[in-house]
Structure formats: C-alpha cells, structure tokens
Amino acid sequence: MPLRNKELVIGRPDGSRVPVLANVVPLRDRGRLHDRRRHCYQDITERKQIEEKLQESNNNLQLLSRRLVESQETERRHIARELHDEVGQTLTVAEMNLQAMVRSPGAVSLRGRLKESLQAVERVLEQVRDLSLNLRPSMLDDLGLEAALRWYTKRQAALAELQSKFRADAMENRLDPVVETACFRVAQEALTNVVRHARARVVAVELLKLDGHLHLFVRDDGAGFDVVALRDRRCWAPAWAC
C-alpha cells in the first residue's frame, strides 16, 4: 500500500533524529506492480518548529484571554457588591424614612411631594438592583451555572411577558468558573436580543451534555432573520469589510 504524507521521525547516520514527511509509492512497469518502492522524505524540522511556536503563542493568548475575563468579572463582582451593599442600603434607608414621613400626621401638607420623592427613590432602587444583578448575579458564584441560568431565564421572560422553558442535564460537579461565566454571558446576551428584537412569545434555554461537551441552546419562536440576505447585504460593503 502506498504511504502518502505521513509524518515520521527518522534517525540520521550521526545519531540525530529529524521529523520528515514520508511518501512511499510502489513502482509500476506497464501496469505491473513491482516489489520495488520509491521512498521520498522531506525534512519538516522548520515547519514543526513554526508549529510549536504557533501553539505556544496560542496557549499564551488563551492564558491572557482567561486572565482578562477573570479580571473583568472580578471588577463586575466588586461593582455589583458596592451597588447592592452601599448604594442599595442607603437608598433603602431613604425609602424607609420617606415612608415614615408620609404616614406622619404632621406632614399632611407635604404628603403629595413626599409620595413623589418616595416613588423616585423606589425607581432608582429598582434600577440599582437590576444593574447589580446584570453585572454579576451572586447566584452564579454561590449556586453555579444551572441555577443562575434558570433564575435569569425566568426573570427576563417575566419582565418581557414571555413564556419560558428551561432544561438542564445534571452536573455532577461545578464547572470551571471561566466556563460558567462565559456560558452565562452568552445566554445573557442572547436573551437580551430575544427581548429587544425577536418579538417572540416563547423562549427556551437548554444546558446539555453531549458527546463529552457542554452545549448551550437559546431558542425562541420570534421573527428571526434571513441569514443569506444578511450575508449578501454585508458583502455589498467595500472588499476590506467582507
């Protein structure tokens, strides 16, 4: 059988070993197959060195990307905690004081303005809570990806008056924090797009284990878009943009 483009490591007379690309082809004479074969070996040392450097660069890039994600999420966690613990608590105190003043018999003349102030504080407090949750829900750190996705899907669907469905395979152990964060951010962006653009009635999120891999699916019954038309429209742009 012919041997084509097979990578091998062969020994040289001086004892060194070198990677080669081997091609071994049987010789034919007028259609008859001979026992002799033609052996061709191409030294691919330089190519292998380039591949090793490229792999090393890819590994370094993945490491830097991981550290960037971890740094971003650490800052998000810090800001979310500050919003919840500091700003949120201060607004809660202001809300309680305004409620007490509205109920006070001596504030009858100011009751209308106090109620307006109370409503304004309540709106700001709700916005702060939403910002905190969107930045980094504590449930993701405390309970893991499945619980956080289930909660977030239900919450976003309720805000947009959508019917939601959620399904997840059982996870024996917690996933890598970077994987959990990446999956949550992808689902978060997808659900945001569903709410803003899809005009959907039902949204479904699935977190499944298939063939040893983790798969995240976000589906809806909304308007969608024509992929071919979008690609064609994009390629009407200048050549450098396609």
Side-chain angles (χ1 to χ4, degrees):
M1 292 293 292
L3 181 67
R4 298 184 183 278
N5 297 324
K6 178 71 173 180
E7 290 189 11
L8 302 174
V9 177
I10 63 174
R12 285 174 169 171
D14 61 1
S16 63
R17 299 178 67 80
V18 59
V20 298
L21 192 66
N23 284 279
V24 180
V25 182
L27 295 178
R28 292 177 179 272
D29 183 13
R30 296 181 181 178
R32 305 173 107 188
L33 188 65
H34 291 275
D35 291 335
R36 292 181 299 170
R37 288 174 172 78
R38 176 176 295 168
H39 297 252
C40 179
Y41 300 103
Q42 178 185 357
D43 188 340
I44 57 172
T45 301
E46 184 177 355
R47 193 188 82 181
K48 299 300 287 186
Q49 291 174 344
I50 293 174
E51 288 177 354
E52 290 175 1
K53 290 181 180 178
L54 181 61
Q55 183 61 46
E56 183 181 358
S57 297
N58 288 337
N59 292 340
N60 290 335
L61 183 61
Q62 290 180 4
L63 180 60
L64 288 173
S65 177
R66 182 187 181 95
R67 288 178 177 173
L68 177 60
V69 170
E70 290 174 344
S71 176
Q72 289 175 334
E73 291 302 320
T74 297
E75 188 63 23
R76 283 174 176 264
R77 189 182 296 109
H78 173 72
I79 296 173
R81 188 178 296 116
E82 289 293 320
L83 285 171
H84 180 272
D85 295 346
E86 299 296 332
V87 180
Q89 289 182 7
T90 301
L91 287 170
T92 300
V93 171
E95 180 185 28
M96 294 172 63
N97 288 338
L98 286 169
Q99 288 173 345
M101 293 175 68
V102 168
R103 292 192 297 267
S104 174
V108 175
S109 61
L110 298 175
R111 189 160 294 169
R113 297 179 66 181
L114 288 172
K115 285 183 177 180
E116 289 180 3
S117 299
L118 178 59
Q119 291 171 356
V121 170
E122 289 172 345
R123 287 196 300 270
V124 174
L125 182 58
E126 185 64 28
Q127 291 172 351
V128 167
R129 287 170 178 165
D130 286 342
L131 282 172
S132 177
L133 290 172
N134 287 328
L135 278 169
R136 181 77 186 188
S138 59
M139 189 178 296
L140 182 60
D141 297 313
D142 299 336
L143 301 179
L145 178 62
E146 179 185 345
L149 275 183
R150 187 184 300 274
W151 160 81
Y152 191 79
T153 301
K154 184 177 180 180
R155 175 176 178 268
Q156 291 300 98
L159 290 173
E161 299 181 346
L162 300 175
Q163 179 186 348
S164 66
K165 299 178 181 179
F166 182 86
R167 183 165 74 96
D169 288 339
M171 305 290 169
E172 293 81 5
N173 301 301
R174 287 287 299 269
L175 300 169
D176 186 302
V178 173
V179 173
E180 289 192 338
T181 296
C183 284
F184 182 82
R185 294 303 177 199
V186 169
Q188 185 179 39
E189 184 65 22
L191 288 169
T192 298
N193 288 336
V194 170
V195 171
R196 289 180 178 175
H197 309 297
R199 301 192 299 277
R201 293 174 298 175
V202 180
V203 62
V205 176
E206 295 179 297
L207 189 66
L208 308 177
K209 294 187 297 182
L210 300 172
D211 302 324
H213 298 279
L214 183 68
H215 294 257
L216 172 66
F217 300 93
V218 180
R219 300 185 175 95
D220 66 81
D221 64 346
F225 58 91
D226 189 330
V227 177
V228 176
L230 184 65
R231 186 184 298 117
D232 291 343
R233 185 174 65 184
R234 176 176 175 269
C235 286
W236 277 105
W240 56 266
C242 291

